[in-house]
């Protein structure tokens, strides 16, 4: 049995932030083959997000990718110059631009998918099979990703309560927006 004093001592091998950093280093090493498609992992994330949500706005890409607004704007501009994406006037908001994949963008995305899949497989292969879904789900929680399927997590943690709370918050936000529009 570990004494309370030993348990409270700081140790790198029990530090969540340190272990996440080390895991990120390992994950980054798995993406060395991205050079063949001549895109970075972050550019891949943008291309994949646009492919999933064709015509999304840059604001929506910020939310989907987790890349900050100014960095994403610079990335999209550079990717547009390279012919990977194109921006068009958004249909629903005259102030916004929608982002679309070009044929070159689709090609870069398709060329990168096997590298990303191989990296994902290498990362997940480090874990027991019965923990992989839970691991990805927990990463989604840490990244504050919408759409994490809490019901599929293999974890004993009661995440259903957290999902219920998040769903209630979203419903309240929608209701508040509707009321503001009616008043405004």
């Amino acid at each position: 049995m570990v004494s309370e004093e030993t348990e409270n001592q700081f140790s790198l091998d029990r530090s969540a932030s340190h272990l996440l950093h080390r895991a990120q280093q390992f994950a980054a090493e798995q993406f060395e083959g991205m050079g063949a498609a001549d895109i970075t992992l972050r550019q891949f994330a943008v291309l994949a997000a646009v492919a999933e949500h064709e015509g999304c706005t840059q604001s929506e890409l910020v939310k989907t990718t987790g890349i900050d607004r100014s960095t994403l704007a610079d990335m999209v501009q550079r990717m547009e110059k390279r012919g990977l994406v194109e921006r068009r006037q958004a249909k629903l908001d005259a102030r916004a631009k929608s982002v679309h994949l070009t044929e070159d963008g689709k090609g870069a995305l398709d060329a990168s998918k096997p590298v990303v899949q191989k990296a994902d497989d290498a990362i997940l292969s480090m874990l027991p099979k019965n923990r992989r879904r839970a691991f990805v789900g927990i990463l989604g929680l840490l990244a504050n990703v919408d759409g994490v399927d809490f019901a599929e997590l293999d974890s004993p943690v009661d995440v259903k309560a957290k999902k219920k709370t998040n769903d209630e918050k979203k419903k309240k936000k929608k209701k508040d927006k509707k009321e503001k529009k009616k008043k405004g």
Side-chain angles (χ1 to χ4, degrees), residues 120-135:
D120 285 351
D121 291 346
I123 293 164
L124 293 175
S125 73
M126 303 286 290
L127 302 170
K129 286 184 180 182
N130 67 340
R131 303 286 179 128
R132 293 174 185 175
R133 237 185 321 181
F135 176 73

Side-chain angles (χ1 to χ4, degrees), residues 29-56:
E29 290 169 2
Q30 306 310 306
F31 291 97
E32 291 178 357
M34 294 292 277
D38 197 28
I39 62 170
T40 66
L41 184 55
R42 290 174 90 184
Q43 289 171 333
F44 172 83
V46 171
L47 293 175
V50 173
E52 287 180 24
H53 308 284
E54 186 70 33
C56 61

Side-chain angles (χ1 to χ4, degrees), residues 12-30:
L12 281 177
D13 64 353
R14 289 192 314 266
S15 167
S17 57
H18 174 71
L19 293 173
L20 277 170
H21 176 70
R22 295 279 307 269
Q24 186 277 330
Q25 288 176 315
F26 172 76
E29 290 169 2
Q30 306 310 306

Side-chain angles (χ1 to χ4, degrees), residues 38-155:
D38 197 28
I39 62 170
T40 66
L41 184 55
R42 290 174 90 184
Q43 289 171 333
F44 172 83
V46 171
L47 293 175
V50 173
E52 287 180 24
H53 308 284
E54 186 70 33
C56 61
T57 64
Q58 286 184 198
S59 293
E60 292 166 335
L61 282 175
V62 166
K63 184 177 177 186
T64 303
T65 63
I67 300 169
D68 70 86
R69 185 173 300 282
S70 60
T71 301
L72 186 105
D74 289 342
M75 284 178 65
V76 170
Q77 184 178 27
R78 287 191 310 271
M79 292 171 75
E80 186 175 36
K81 284 180 183 175
R82 286 189 51 203
L84 300 174
V85 297
E86 64 181 19
R87 292 183 284 186
R88 303 178 195 151
Q89 192 68 46
K91 292 178 182 175
L92 300 176
D93 184 350
R95 299 166 295 164
K97 297 278 187 184
S98 61
V99 184
H100 303 267
L101 285 181
T102 63
E103 286 303 314
D104 286 348
K106 288 176 187 171
L109 180 63
D110 290 343
S112 302
K113 281 181 184 177
V115 176
V116 174
Q117 186 61 57
K118 183 178 175 187
D120 285 351
D121 291 346
I123 293 164
L124 293 175
S125 73
M126 303 286 290
L127 302 170
K129 286 184 180 182
N130 67 340
R131 303 286 179 128
R132 293 174 185 175
R133 237 185 321 181
F135 176 73
V136 172
I138 290 167
L139 289 175
L141 288 172
L142 289 173
N144 199 26
V145 173
D146 288 340
V148 172
D149 190 349
F150 296 93
E152 289 191 11
L153 294 180
D154 299 326
S155 172

Side-chain angles (χ1 to χ4, degrees), residues 92-93 95 172-184:
L92 300 176
D93 184 350
R95 299 166 295 164
K172 186 176 179 345
K173 271 187 175 180
K174 280 185 178 181
K175 184 179 176 183
D176 290 347
K177 275 186 176 181
K178 285 181 182 179
E179 287 179 12
K180 273 187 177 180
K181 284 184 179 179
K182 286 180 183 178
K183 291 179 184 178

